[in-house]
Amino acid sequence: MKRQTDIKMKVTSEEEELILAIRNYCDSYPDGYPELLDYAQDIFDRMTDMPK
């Protein structure tokens, strides 16, 4: 059994939104909702669009 560790760090609201979107997608497994994955991908793409 894997041991889970809590980590505290400061994140932007955009980063928090991405983390929550990924968690929601993972929680939907195995049914999976493709729109949740699309939503997380959209946030990631906006965050990594260079230059800002």
Side-chain angles (χ1 to χ4, degrees):
M1 183 173 168
K2 250 182 152 180
R3 203 173 111 177
Q4 190 172 1
T5 304
D6 290 337
I7 299 172
K8 292 183 181 185
M9 71 171 36
K10 292 183 181 184
V11 297
T12 65
S13 59
E14 200 172 37
E15 292 166 336
E16 180 184 19
E17 186 177 2
L18 176 59
I19 292 167
L20 292 174
I22 293 168
R23 286 181 180 172
N24 287 336
Y25 175 73
C26 291
D27 289 344
S28 72
Y29 186 82
D31 298 327
Y33 296 99
E35 57 273 358
L36 291 175
L37 182 58
D38 292 341
Y39 177 63
Q41 184 67 54
D42 180 58
I43 297 169
F44 179 81
D45 290 343
R46 283 186 278 130
M47 289 176 66
T48 56
D49 186 30
M50 294 296 170
K52 285 193 174 197

